[in-house]
Amino acid sequence: MARRTKADAAATREALIDAAEEMFMEHGVARTSLEQIARHAGMTRGAVYWHFKNKADLFRAMLERVNLPFEDLIREIDASVVSQSPLSAIRLACLKGLARLEQPRYKRVHFILFYRCEFFSDIDPVVMQEELACDVHQTLLKYFALAAEKGEISIAPEAAAELMNLCLSGLFHDWLRQPDAYSIQSRGQVLIDTLLELLQRPA
């Protein structure tokens, strides 16, 4: 019975996050109330407060479901690839991240963060966006430094990391404004492969 109760609580929590995601997308974060979220989920506001302290806590839980630390993407790659060619690991991690972004939930939540969220309470969307960019940049710098040690790139790792981060960021923002216009994975692969080719040392 205890196991079922725990499962039911987890399902209720997920249903509330689902409802919040839909309401944030439709109305924007600041203009969505916990009462609206509860009604949309077919629950009471008390159920929301049982699982979340406030709307900011619920918002963070929504973001956590699509959190994509770049280091985690690297960990999904075979360790031998990472060891032998950090540049190949960077490429594969970038492509994995772009593929995830095309999944409906990832696309929707990132759209909410960048275009449907105003500053409210203790949530500053600009700070959150910068944290995401900083995570990517720091991990890129780490693996470009390893690539430099192996002689895989022709410029300083700091410059390589900045160039790749700007490439990914520009692609992401352009796609997020019109996500149905093209595949970020397909276009991203062309851009990433082109940039990495330019960064490699001449044979």
Side-chain angles (χ1 to χ4, degrees):
M1 178 64 74
R3 188 178 304 169
R4 183 179 178 182
T5 300
K6 185 176 180 180
D8 288 345
T12 297
R13 186 177 188 275
E14 288 298 299
L16 287 168
I17 301 175
D18 288 343
E21 186 179 306
E22 292 171 8
M23 297 302 288
F24 290 158
M25 186 70 179
E26 182 177 350
H27 302 291
V29 178
R31 291 184 293 276
T32 297
S33 69
L34 291 179
E35 181 69 34
Q36 289 173 308
I37 293 170
R39 285 203 309 268
H40 192 65
M43 302 178 195
T44 66
R45 194 166 61 172
V48 180
Y49 282 114
W50 178 262
H51 292 277
F52 306 100
K53 292 183 292 187
N54 49 38
K55 185 164 68 172
D57 190 33
L58 177 51
F59 182 77
R60 289 193 186 92
M62 180 193 71
L63 292 181
E64 187 60 33
R65 293 202 303 188
V66 300
N67 190 29
L68 276 176
F70 202 84
E71 186 71 49
D72 287 356
L73 295 173
I74 293 283
R75 291 194 187 102
E76 293 179 10
I77 299 166
D78 190 282
S80 63
V81 174
V82 180
S83 175
Q84 293 170 14
S85 176
L87 209 59
S88 294
I90 290 170
R91 176 183 181 274
L92 292 173
C94 288
L95 296 182
K96 281 179 175 289
L98 296 180
R100 300 269 179 87
L101 287 173
E102 291 203 319
Q103 296 178 20
R105 170 166 290 162
Y106 285 78
K107 183 192 304 185
R108 189 164 51 243
V109 171
H110 283 93
F111 186 89
I112 291 168
L113 174 61
F114 282 84
Y115 295 113
R116 303 292 284 165
C117 181
E118 310 84 353
F119 177 86
F120 76 97
S121 181
D122 59 343
I123 292 294
D124 186 336
V126 174
V127 170
M128 289 185 165
Q129 293 166 23
E130 290 178 351
E131 288 175 351
L132 293 175
C134 184
D135 165 72
V136 173
H137 178 76
Q138 291 301 317
T139 306
L140 284 172
L141 181 57
K142 173 183 175 180
Y143 287 94
F144 272 121
L146 293 174
E149 290 176 7
K150 289 183 172 293
E152 289 192 297
I153 56 175
S154 59
I155 65 174
E158 293 80 6
E162 185 169 0
L163 284 169
M164 181 60 79
N165 200 24
L166 289 172
C167 174
L168 294 172
S169 177
L171 172 66
F172 173 71
H173 284 281
D174 181 74
W175 170 78
L176 202 57
R177 286 195 300 270
Q178 45 181 352
D180 296 324
Y182 60 88
S183 164
I184 190 173
Q185 185 179 9
S186 298
R187 182 171 293 185
Q189 180 170 342
V190 174
L191 294 175
I192 290 165
D193 287 348
T194 301
L195 179 55
L196 290 178
E197 184 178 347
L198 293 170
L199 296 178
Q200 291 180 59
R201 285 189 180 279

